[in-house]
Amino acid sequence: DMGVDMVEFLKDKNILVVGGTGFLGKVFIEKILRVQCDVGHIFTLIRATDLQCAKTKLEREVFSSELFRHLRERYKDGYGRFIQQKVVPVVGDVACDNLGIDEETSEELFKRIDIIMNTAATTSFYERYDVAMNVNTVGAANVVRFGKKCPNLQILCHVSTAYVNVGRTGIIEEEALRSGERLSKSDGTTPSVGEVESECQLITKLLQEIRSSSDLNSTHNKTERSRMKEFAQQRARKFGWPNVYVFTKAMAEIMVDHLRGDIPTAIVRPSIIESTFSDPFPGWIEGQRMIDPLFIRYGKGQISMFPAADNLIVDVIPVDMVANGMISCLGKHASTPGLYIYHLASSVQNPLLYFTGVKAAYDYFKLHPFQEKNSTKLVKIKKPQALHSMEIFRRYMCVRYKIPLQYNLLLRRYKFVMKLADLYEPFIFFKGSFDNSNTRRLWAELSEEEQEQFKFDVECINWTKYFYDVHIPGLLKYTDS
């Protein structure tokens, strides 16, 4: 047994949340407020011009969300007051020194913070290099530096991604990335601290070049944007990484490990995060994630072929299980210096066949079809077919769309799906699986009561039911599909 009662542990704790307005950040905040109303304060870093804007942003992006409906029902007219007492917006920016927090506020925070949770990330695969680097890598380093100034800090938790392992194969252990480690697929490596620093200098140099060579008109922003996006791809590939997201997230882990000193540090690595399994209610999601656009397009009759072999495993984890795992590792490792790594993933313990999801989509849309655009007709969907490699998928798309391109919409659709296919290839055709022994051990140490309250046991998921009853209806209800 863990020896700490999780709910009791959260009592009176002051938590700094970085990335609190994101998909996972919101779920984390909601869960804490729901299980422990006597938490100290949840200080939430917000990028905003001033405190009033930060408050408005929190209200609009977090507390008015459907996700908080249980708390809204519990507190009724007192909901706003409860939130204001507990959740304190802090104006700042993760990319800046001292997290961009003014001196007076940060002096106050240094004294008070017990726990730091960093879920901030830009997850776009084609982000600008400067933006991805600032948020994902420099941001992660700044959070640790900030933590070092908090004498009462009991634990720092950094949310990474299981796909920092994208260069490894087979069953991948929960272990730290090592600088200079060879990636098995490409002849690339994991960057060292020095290389991370020189990448930052390269970005600064390139931005100066772009800015000095352009006359400051409106096309300048466009060239800057597209050049920084190209540069991102180029640098990631130079090191042998498939995209700027996993590349900057890997560099973040290298920096966190390098800077942590004797701070108890947990790195959690979720796989593909999808809608809530059960908590606070099933099916809540925000925005379409990784594999969702393909499902929606399939339901609309726009594609019937999926880039996936029959036996292909895709690693998915519901967002509430990620948040519960994060909270559990806070209690487990508080005040115990060291680096602790957790894969919040399903591929070893309860593998999801990609086609299980696709078949559930077929059954779902057969019974609940979309309506054709501008007509009363219902979309008739075709039985899904697997294409065993990206190559075959590209050929199919080309024959299907590119050759008979009668009109623009098809070309746009073709380009969209091809772009998706390119981006997701490393994930969809990823050959490794993520060992989750540490996560299982963490789960086994919870009391039965806690397991009820903080469910993150992937074994209990029936994937067919999850897609059919939870995930697909959730996508249709909560995202623009």
Side-chain angles (χ1 to χ4, degrees), residues 222-253:
K222 195 168 167 358
T223 28
E224 180 177 310
R225 199 167 61 238
S226 56
R227 283 196 55 192
M228 286 320 279
K229 284 186 174 184
E230 278 161 28
F231 193 51
Q233 209 46 27
Q234 201 186 315
R235 298 307 296 171
R237 293 264 158 91
K238 179 182 184 298
F239 280 88
W241 293 75
N243 59 53
V244 68
Y245 169 63
V246 287
F247 182 49
T248 51
K249 291 295 279 181
M251 290 194 282
E253 282 201 22

Side-chain angles (χ1 to χ4, degrees), residues 295 310 312 351-361 462-465 467:
F295 285 130
D310 299 327
L312 183 89
L352 159 65
L353 286 170
Y354 188 60
F355 248 67
T356 302
V358 174
K359 286 195 183 89
N462 170 332
W463 289 115
T464 300
K465 270 186 71 143
F467 275 91

Side-chain angles (χ1 to χ4, degrees), residues 366-377:
K366 222 168 48 184
L367 266 181
H368 315 275
F370 272 107
Q371 227 173 340
E372 298 246 354
K373 251 206 170 104
N374 316 326
S375 107
T376 51
K377 286 213 321 251

Side-chain angles (χ1 to χ4, degrees), residues 181-212:
E181 184 182 348
R182 310 226 38 96
L183 310 185
S184 59
K185 277 218 187 66
S186 57
D187 45 1
T189 55
T190 300
S192 64
V193 173
E195 284 170 323
V196 175
E197 283 159 2
S198 57
E199 288 301 298
C200 290
Q201 287 156 4
L202 259 180
I203 291 175
T204 312
K205 213 175 98 192
L206 186 69
L207 278 173
Q208 280 166 348
E209 270 169 38
I210 296 171
R211 285 169 187 171
S212 61

Side-chain angles (χ1 to χ4, degrees), residues 129-401:
Y129 198 23
D130 51 342
V131 174
M133 180 68 99
N134 276 335
V135 177
N136 294 347
T137 311
V138 177
N142 286 340
V143 171
V144 179
R145 291 187 185 107
F146 191 88
K148 281 182 151 162
K149 297 178 191 166
C150 304
N152 305 317
L153 181 65
Q154 295 186 20
I155 183 159
L156 180 146
C157 179
H158 168 79
V159 179
S160 182
T161 165
Y163 292 96
V164 294
N165 293 305
V166 77
R168 295 169 165 174
T169 50
I171 293 184
I172 297 154
E173 307 290 328
E174 292 157 299
E175 52 184 39
L177 295 182
R178 291 179 297 276
S179 298
E181 184 182 348
R182 310 226 38 96
L183 310 185
S184 59
K185 277 218 187 66
S186 57
D187 45 1
T189 55
T190 300
S192 64
V193 173
E195 284 170 323
V196 175
E197 283 159 2
S198 57
E199 288 301 298
C200 290
Q201 287 156 4
L202 259 180
I203 291 175
T204 312
K205 213 175 98 192
L206 186 69
L207 278 173
Q208 280 166 348
E209 270 169 38
I210 296 171
R211 285 169 187 171
S212 61
S213 67
S214 64
D215 37 1
L216 295 165
N217 54 21
S218 61
T219 55
H220 146 69
N221 278 341
K222 195 168 167 358
T223 28
E224 180 177 310
R225 199 167 61 238
S226 56
R227 283 196 55 192
M228 286 320 279
K229 284 186 174 184
E230 278 161 28
F231 193 51
Q233 209 46 27
Q234 201 186 315
R235 298 307 296 171
R237 293 264 158 91
K238 179 182 184 298
F239 280 88
W241 293 75
N243 59 53
V244 68
Y245 169 63
V246 287
F247 182 49
T248 51
K249 291 295 279 181
M251 290 194 282
E253 282 201 22
I254 294 290
M255 294 309 291
V256 168
D257 191 15
H258 170 65
L259 292 167
R260 68 189 164 86
D262 55 5
I263 299 173
T265 305
I267 292 181
V268 295
R269 296 181 182 155
S271 56
I272 299 167
I273 306 180
E274 294 284 2
S275 50
T276 52
F277 178 70
S278 60
D279 195 17
F281 50 87
W284 183 81
I285 190 166
E286 191 175 65
Q288 293 179 17
R289 331 297 305 172
M290 189 81 80
I291 51 183
D292 302 332
L294 287 177
F295 285 130
I296 298 297
R297 282 170 185 260
Y298 174 54
K300 292 183 172 174
Q302 296 173 356
I303 59 168
S304 60
M305 299 282 193
F306 284 84
D310 299 327
N311 60 350
L312 183 89
I313 289 167
V314 50
D315 200 309
V316 163
I317 180 114
V319 63
D320 48 339
M321 293 196 173
V322 178
N324 289 335
M326 281 153 54
I327 294 170
S328 303
C329 77
L330 296 177
K332 161 95 175 165
H333 299 295
S335 310
T336 334
L339 178 67
Y340 309 97
I341 296 178
Y342 290 94
H343 284 159
L344 294 165
S346 57
S347 50
V348 167
Q349 201 179 352
N350 184 3
L352 159 65
L353 286 170
Y354 188 60
F355 248 67
T356 302
V358 174
K359 286 195 183 89
Y362 172 67
D363 293 336
Y364 185 88
F365 291 120
K366 222 168 48 184
L367 266 181
H368 315 275
F370 272 107
Q371 227 173 340
E372 298 246 354
K373 251 206 170 104
N374 316 326
S375 107
T376 51
K377 286 213 321 251
L378 297 174
V379 174
K380 267 205 177 69
I381 60 167
K382 297 191 179 79
K383 253 191 139 60
Q385 284 175 287
L387 296 166
H388 288 245
S389 74
M390 249 2 192
E391 216 14 74
I392 303 171
F393 182 68
R394 289 196 182 94
R395 275 208 302 263
Y396 154 75
M397 290 300 294
C398 187
V399 171
R400 166 100 198 252
Y401 287 120

Side-chain angles (χ1 to χ4, degrees), residues 427-445:
F427 298 85
I428 301 248
F429 286 97
F430 182 62
K431 289 292 182 283
S433 51
F434 306 113
D435 179 63
N436 64 339
S437 306
N438 291 349
T439 303
R440 284 196 229 189
R441 215 169 295 131
L442 183 66
W443 172 252
E445 287 174 7

